[in-house]
Amino acid sequence: MTGGNVVVIGNGMVGQRFVDALRARDPQQRWRVTVLAEESRPAYDRVRLSAYFDGADEEDLNLHTPHDGVRLRLGEAATGVDRSRRVVTTTSGEYPYDVLVFATGSYPFVPPVPGTDLSGVFVYRTLDDLAAIRRYAKDRRTGAVIGGGLLGLEAANALRLLGLTTSVVEFAPRLMPVQVDTAGGAMLRRYVEELDVTCHLGVATTALRPGADGAVATLELADGALIEADLVVVAAGIRPRDELARAAGLDIGPRGGVLVDDACRTSDERIYAVGECAAVDGTCYGLVAPGYAMAEVVADRLVGGAATFPGADTATKLKLLGVDVASFGDAHGTTPGCLDVTWTDPACRVYAKLVLSDDASTLLGGVLVGDASAYPTLRASVGGPLPAAPLALLAGDDAVGASAGALPATAQVCSCNAVTRADIDSAIADGCADVPALKACTRAGTSCGSCVPMLKQLLDAAGVVQSKALCEHFDVSRQELFDIVRVRGIKTFSRLISEHGRGRGCDICKPVVASILASLGNGHILDGEQASLQDTNDHFLANLQRDGSYSVVPRIPGGEITPEKLIVIGEVARDFNLYTKITGGQRIDLFGARVDQLPQIWRRLVDAGFESGHAYGKALRTVKSCVGSTWCRYGVQDSVGLAVALELRYRGLRAPHKIKSAVSGCARECAEARSKDFGVIATETGWNLYVGGNGGFRPRHADLFATDLSTEALITLIDRFLMYYIRTADRLQRTAAWIEAMDGGLDHLRSVIVDDSLGLCAELDAAMARHVASYSDEWRDVLADADRLRRFTSFVNAPDVPDPSITFVTERGQPVPVGGQQATPGRQPVTLGQPVALGLPEVRR
Amino acid sequence: MTTTTALDWVTVCPVDRLDPDRGVAALVDGVQVAIFRTTDGLYAIDNRDPVSGAYVLSRGIVGSRGEVPTVASPLHKQVYDLRTGDCLDLPGVSVARHQIRCHDGMVEVRLRQEG
């Protein structure tokens, strides 16, 4: 059977993955899919649930992709399965199925201790749970978490962030008992207690006692200790949600869970189970990667495939309370005769253990606490020979990196998406020559990203040279060039190329060096030798158009403009016969100017108080804004005022690529700040900062970087973000690509510009202070200098002759280039005729 | 058959009016010529970018590719050999080159019209 009705019970991460996987394999939509979701919101990223307390909202965590032919019933819990009629009943109806998939997940286990029903006691599973915790935590002082595992520590961190004095109670003698060993647990405890989280280990909670108001107030421990807690989170493990399957008479695993075979099929051949609710050959997995693997297996089976569950990789790497913790393979050394190699560095607070086979030839597993940088290589090496000497591996030697090339073909490089070394190698053989190409081709590195360094190493191992050379004249990258210029105080291109390059330069390296010199503050961009480095746009401080004419964009900070200034722009456009258009950045573009007209146009504009808008530069363009609290009924902050201030602060700042920004005055986000390099969205108490968005060829929403900032803190973060970008990005790399390419991504960026992990912040702050202090309007400075002005002629030997090649015709009442709409194949008419019957081509997805 | 008609030398401007490694446009007998001054000397080619049809080559960035002195079109960045006018990125595309010299501190151009 390869078609019909498939009903999915559950829209968690694995349920959603199943739908995505089926849709990808079933483009003809032979399967009609109905998803029954108990929660009122579609699938979200439960692994990153705690990001909710860092300010992430529902949309940030959303995993749901709408598909054709998929019906999603939110808030409609399944209540029964009638296998004889092949019907699922819900709280409000019946759904017939040909195939049924259980993706019901787990529920939090609450130990049978008196008092867990008191108000103020929560579990930690859904966004609703977290929202309730946040509400309840207001005005409360103390919190406790029952359970010191992975989820318990996440919950403890959440309580900390909510301002509660926090304790953790764990029945086992160490934190994270499933993942780490005794010594690793001890190291972890040091980190955790340093954050003022008190740990009570090796002791059971015997009761929760109420206070005078009837809500929970105290935890009683088996050793007689009493812990004050106004709020308690129970994170003592999870149990599979198999109650519907039980009631329907399906076989259940020995420790719970819907029993399935390696095709994820239950004891009823029309019913499958995937994810945490499934017991594959009796074992349940509480991790998302095995769940994803099961979802893929079932999708494959439904289209006639024969996939089987490949076995679970239970390796884990995470950052808990800022501490890297990783565990993989036989972490506890249960293999008979196995050997441990351990490494403890109390100074650097790093603990690592490798478990080896009895002849020390094969890596079986390991534990890393404090530094998990060796994790990707180690995890992929499990079951094979060690890629380097054990101590070199544990000490994180750079030499180890190259050893990803020693991995066997079957080693799983990306466990999130089940991509093996062989998959990567064949993608490289097919022509993938860099990490972005590998990501697009194999999906490796597109989920958690921890394998990205290995992708680079595998490219190296395959002999793919990922050259950093800027061009044939410089062997170094833009970042290295920036440091050379900065550290050596180089002021001219000729010195730079004679000392650090070769040849005469070209249209790649010259504008890069021009931009670097400008970013470092070296006077006007048309002075001295710098003028010869500029791209034509910078050279004429205007934007070259297809007919050889230029366009002019005066700065209109925040999009706010007086009627008088609007009139001046209109008069200038009329007097110079310019085509005018409102831009996407809330300003006005004036097209069709000849180079000899540019100074005359700008004389009028500068006299009226305008200055360069830098539309021609790889520089800050605009800071858009919505109208904000000044006028808007919904606005909570003055978005226009902030946008104006930001635009004036960063105007003229030259960068590896253009920089766009926007400020929205409330969460409705009318300024579209999340499509910008840096976007600001007002909250009731301050500003949320988003970074790394762009429109363009590959649109990307900006990521939430920091929340509820004061204006001062916001400015400090943006200052550092921009200066770090300017220092370290590649040529023509927008902030989005810059962050994506960064080892460690957003976390790394945060560590550099918030925690000052590289000790750079003072330098970055000073660099921005210099920029702000030295800003001067480029066009005003051109008009004041005869030497700068002399280049604005069409012909060196006929300064009074206008360029005869630039001529216009009138279209919709405005001048446009002659031959502007050349008849090229595929160009569509834009005048609308009568509607015609459509024979639409098939839409490719 | 191709014939080349050599016209008269036309004085354009003082040589120090040209910035090193930067072009200017000149009108010579009604033809737009792009003139460049590099450390090797002076070059003159048509100002018209043959790919776009716009008169912009004088505004390109001057540089080198290997030993070849070059200018890159400012519109779509195709690179031309300043000595021959040949496009190094698109086989078969070229621009006309013209004769240029410095005489008594003045730049002089003589058109080469091939046709």
Side-chain angles (χ1 to χ4, degrees), chain A residues 435-599:
Chain A
V435 171
L438 283 178
K439 282 183 170 180
C441 181
T442 65
R443 293 181 76 186
T446 55
S447 298
C448 80
S450 71
C451 64
V452 168
M454 289 181 76
L455 300 181
K456 289 182 186 160
Q457 293 160 16
L458 289 172
L459 283 163
D460 286 339
V464 177
V465 180
Q466 300 165 75
S467 172
K468 300 176 305 180
L470 194 58
C471 62
E472 69 175 65
H473 305 102
F474 290 98
D475 292 334
V476 297
S477 66
R478 180 194 172 275
Q479 176 181 356
E480 290 164 313
L481 212 52
F482 190 99
D483 288 337
I484 290 169
V485 173
R486 180 176 62 85
V487 172
R488 295 173 196 258
I490 292 174
K491 304 281 186 198
T492 64
F493 181 79
S494 50
R495 182 182 156 200
L496 181 67
I497 199 165
S498 68
E499 293 178 10
H500 301 279
R502 67 180 75 82
R504 307 269 180 73
C506 64
D507 60 307
I508 293 171
C509 59
K510 281 185 166 180
V512 165
V513 175
S515 162
I516 291 171
L517 291 171
S519 293
L520 288 169
N522 279 281
H524 199 280
I525 63 167
L526 295 185
D527 284 356
E529 206 194 90
Q530 277 191 72
S532 74
L533 309 178
Q534 309 295 347
D535 196 303
T536 188
N537 282 7
D538 279 310
H539 195 237
F540 289 109
L541 298 99
N543 288 51
L544 178 64
Q545 302 300 325
R546 55 191 296 272
D547 64 339
S549 70
Y550 288 79
S551 77
V552 168
V553 185
R555 185 169 300 290
I556 301 178
E560 183 181 70
I561 186 165
T562 61
E564 288 73 21
K565 281 186 155 181
L566 264 181
I567 289 167
V568 169
I569 288 181
E571 287 175 344
V572 167
R574 184 192 59 205
D575 295 352
F576 289 89
N577 192 35
L578 303 175
Y579 168 97
T580 55
K581 188 168 190 314
I582 312 284
T583 72
Q586 299 185 339
R587 36 197 202 172
I588 299 172
D589 209 340
L590 312 173
F591 288 80
R594 301 187 310 268
V595 288
D596 51 289
Q597 292 178 311
L598 291 170

Side-chain angles (χ1 to χ4, degrees), chain A residues 118-132:
Chain A
L118 292 172
S119 84
V121 181
F122 300 88
V123 293
Y124 200 87
R125 173 84 187 168
T126 65
L127 271 174
D128 286 341
D129 293 334
L130 270 60

Side-chain angles (χ1 to χ4, degrees), chain A residues 336-413:
Chain A
C338 64
L339 308 171
D340 286 358
V341 179
T342 61
W343 165 274
T344 309
D345 182 343
C348 298
R349 294 188 305 171
V350 171
Y351 169 78
K353 175 175 84 171
L354 296 184
V355 180
L356 307 177
S357 60
D358 53 3
D359 59 353
S361 67
T362 304
L363 179 65
L364 300 176
V367 174
L368 306 169
V369 177
D371 175 7
S373 53
Y375 169 78
T377 311
L378 291 174
R379 196 208 75 241
S381 304
V382 169
L386 277 175
L391 278 183
L393 282 169
L394 295 181
D397 282 6
D398 285 347
V400 178
S403 62
L407 295 174
T410 51
Q412 208 167 70
V413 173

Side-chain angles (χ1 to χ4, degrees), chain A residues 472-473 504-505 507 510-511 531-532 534-536 539-540 544-546 548 550 790-791 794-797 803 805, chain B residues 12-13 17 19-22 24-27 32 39-40 54-56 59 61-66 72 74-75 77:
Chain A
E472 69 175 65
H473 305 102
R504 307 269 180 73
D507 60 307
K510 281 185 166 180
S532 74
Q534 309 295 347
D535 196 303
T536 188
H539 195 237
F540 289 109
L544 178 64
Q545 302 300 325
R546 55 191 296 272
Y550 288 79
R790 73 181 159 82
R791 71 192 76 245
S794 289
F795 301 108
V796 67
N797 59 341
D803 183 343
S805 72
Chain B
V12 172
C13 66
R17 171 68 180 75
D19 293 327
D21 288 336
R22 193 88 234 187
V24 296
L27 264 184
Q32 290 202 27
T39 45
D40 292 338
Y55 288 74
V56 295
R59 303 179 213 153
I61 288 180
V62 174
S64 65
R65 187 175 285 186
L75 271 167
K77 314 296 180 196

